[in-house]
Amino acid sequence: MAADAGKPKRGTYRHGDLRNALVRAGLELARQGGPEAVVLRAATREAGVAPNAAYRHFADRAALLHAVSQEAMAQVARTMEAEQAALPPTADPAAAARARFRAVGTGYLRFAQEEPGLFRTAFHVPGDMSHAADDSAAGGSGKTPFELLGAALDGLVETGRLPADRRPGAEFLAWSAVHGLAALLIDGPLRGLQPDQVHDAGQHLIDMVERGL
Amino acid sequence: MAADAGKPKRGTYRHGDLRNALVRAGLELARQGGPEAVVLRAATREAGVAPNAAYRHFADRAALLHAVSQEAMAQVARTMEAEQAALPPTADPAAAARARFRAVGTGYLRFAQEEPGLFRTAFHVPGDMSHAADDSAAGGSGKTPFELLGAALDGLVETGRLPADRRPGAEFLAWSAVHGLAALLIDGPLRGLQPDQVHDAGQHLIDMVERGL
DNA sequence: CCCGAATGTGTACATCGTACACAACGGGTG
DNA sequence: CACCCGTTGTGTACGATGTACACATTCGGG
């Protein structure tokens, strides 16, 4: 009994889609326990394969984690895009630009709240986070979270809502604020806030950013 | 030759100050490699003691890491206090309050830049970060970084620089912004910035916070 | 002086990442 | 169609880590 525990123990010698299977397994591990939970042996176990098989597709654990991280970042981008897509249509271009800007931050914070493990994994990045611009982190629109923010800021400038001389570097200021709040919400003193309180805190923060940019 | 490799291999059976020795060793590990580098066996090795000796003073690795984290947070507080102490004396109370507020952020960012490993360890906090208010995280003035920020904000209110109705929750907005920038500077896309560029970015961010609070 | 509580040691085990040698597959060339 | 070799998975092995359990040593009071 219990011959095949959960997994059907693939009959073929070849797996066929191991790399993807490992990333998917890693994604699930990350969802539940954040980046440190993305464990090579657990992923291979889930895929029904020997631990070392992973090394045919990833140089080491860090490489797998990186792939998982990129996928998590793409999910962040998709959440942002969804937030923007859900916006009510507006005739006023300035109001529309402002709403799109706020949706970027709101989507970011929503994702952090709903999927803290994946969020931490997305922005974990040991060593170098320059991958924030890699295509593999893009969402449906082909834009990474960072690029979505930049586009929203450009929209503010175009509609005269943000002085052009304040534009350079603005993404870092806005990102800092929102990212910092996400950190406080996830495992900071703000953890345990009710969802609507979280939403309020996010709106207050974005208010501050809009005023201060 | 090489009988005692580095450590003099304590003659006495009792160590006498193991708990502190472990925290100190952990602090050094954290400085070099961040929280994940705080390894029980390495700390005991450094203290010249068997691995299990640590369990007489800490429930597990997490407990040691927590102690190290609190000490790192105290160092953050001291850096903030030093930044405030270095301020030129001013007659104008409003200007003084503002300068003290800015010094809180500047000290925070300075520490993040100068001691990234310790900084990450200070605000690592797996599970619950409510310890940010524990006395063990206080600096020379007896205040934790969080309390120093609160006091600076109170000063802004007293001098009329910040409307009282904006005060509630303001520490979270300010902290979010500064903490987020620290994250981007340490292992985000802003890593590798020159120290003076870092300083400029910090001042810009604090400008934004002042305008937006 | 002597005995119990506090502190450190020794041994042991599960889990992890990963190196190295071997095995099974399967597609291209003859 | 047969063979052969590169790709992909397996097996075995090693060192490191956290930690449990039993034992040894020491110190401070009675």
Side-chain angles (χ1 to χ4, degrees), chain A residues 10 13-15 18 49-50 52 56-57:
Chain A
R10 151 193 56 104
Y13 186 87
R14 301 302 180 114
H15 180 288
L18 221 203
V49 112
N52 287 343
R56 298 296 171 191
H57 302 273

Side-chain angles (χ1 to χ4, degrees), chain A residues 39-55:
Chain A
V39 167
L40 251 183
R41 293 179 100 111
T44 55
R45 222 175 288 141
E46 169 71 19
V49 112
N52 287 343
Y55 288 88

Side-chain angles (χ1 to χ4, degrees), chain B residues 41-202:
Chain B
R41 293 179 100 109
T44 55
R45 222 176 287 140
E46 170 71 18
V49 113
N52 287 344
Y55 288 88
R56 297 297 170 188
H57 303 273
F58 300 98
D60 53 13
R61 178 194 120 105
L64 168 61
L65 181 52
H66 180 249
V68 172
S69 168
Q70 291 295 108
E71 183 52 43
M73 210 139 105
Q75 291 195 23
V76 174
R78 272 181 241 122
T79 301
M80 286 172 166
E81 289 163 359
E83 197 79 25
Q84 289 186 331
L87 252 32
T90 316
D92 181 7
R98 176 166 177 251
R100 288 177 64 79
F101 170 70
R102 295 184 70 97
V104 166
T106 306
Y108 194 89
L109 290 171
R110 172 205 294 292
F111 188 86
Q113 186 193 355
E114 291 178 353
E115 293 289 1
L118 289 180
F119 179 84
R120 280 171 44 219
T121 305
F123 299 102
H124 154 82
V125 237
D128 199 330
M129 184 165 166
S130 51
H131 310 285
D134 282 10
D135 285 357
S136 52
S141 68
K143 289 205 177 90
T144 66
F146 190 61
E147 293 166 346
L148 285 168
L149 171 58
L153 285 166
D154 289 343
L156 289 183
V157 172
E158 285 162 17
T159 58
R161 185 135 207 134
L162 176 66
D165 63 331
R166 283 266 178 75
R167 175 66 183 79
E171 43 261 275
F172 297 114
L173 301 187
W175 190 1
S176 290
V178 176
H179 185 76
L181 179 58
L184 299 193
L185 288 172
I186 287 181
D187 45 24
L190 265 40
R191 76 170 3 207
L193 244 52
Q194 298 306 311
D196 54 338
Q197 295 179 296
V198 170
H199 184 261
D200 287 356

Side-chain angles (χ1 to χ4, degrees), chain B residues 13-15 18 50 52 56-57:
Chain B
Y13 185 86
R14 299 302 179 99
H15 180 287
L18 221 202
N52 287 344
R56 297 297 170 188
H57 303 273

Side-chain angles (χ1 to χ4, degrees), chain A residues 71-149:
Chain A
E71 183 51 43
M73 209 138 106
Q75 291 194 24
V76 175
R78 273 182 239 119
T79 301
M80 287 173 164
E81 289 163 0
E83 197 78 26
Q84 289 186 331
L87 253 29
T90 315
D92 180 5
R98 175 166 177 251
R100 288 177 63 80
F101 170 70
R102 295 186 69 97
V104 167
T106 305
Y108 194 88
L109 290 171
R110 172 204 294 290
F111 188 85
Q113 185 193 355
E114 291 178 354
E115 293 289 2
L118 288 180
F119 180 84
R120 281 171 44 219
T121 305
F123 298 103
H124 153 82
V125 237
D128 198 330
M129 185 163 165
S130 50
H131 310 284
D134 282 12
D135 285 358
S136 51
S141 67
K143 289 205 177 88
T144 67
F146 190 61
E147 293 166 347
L148 285 168
L149 172 58

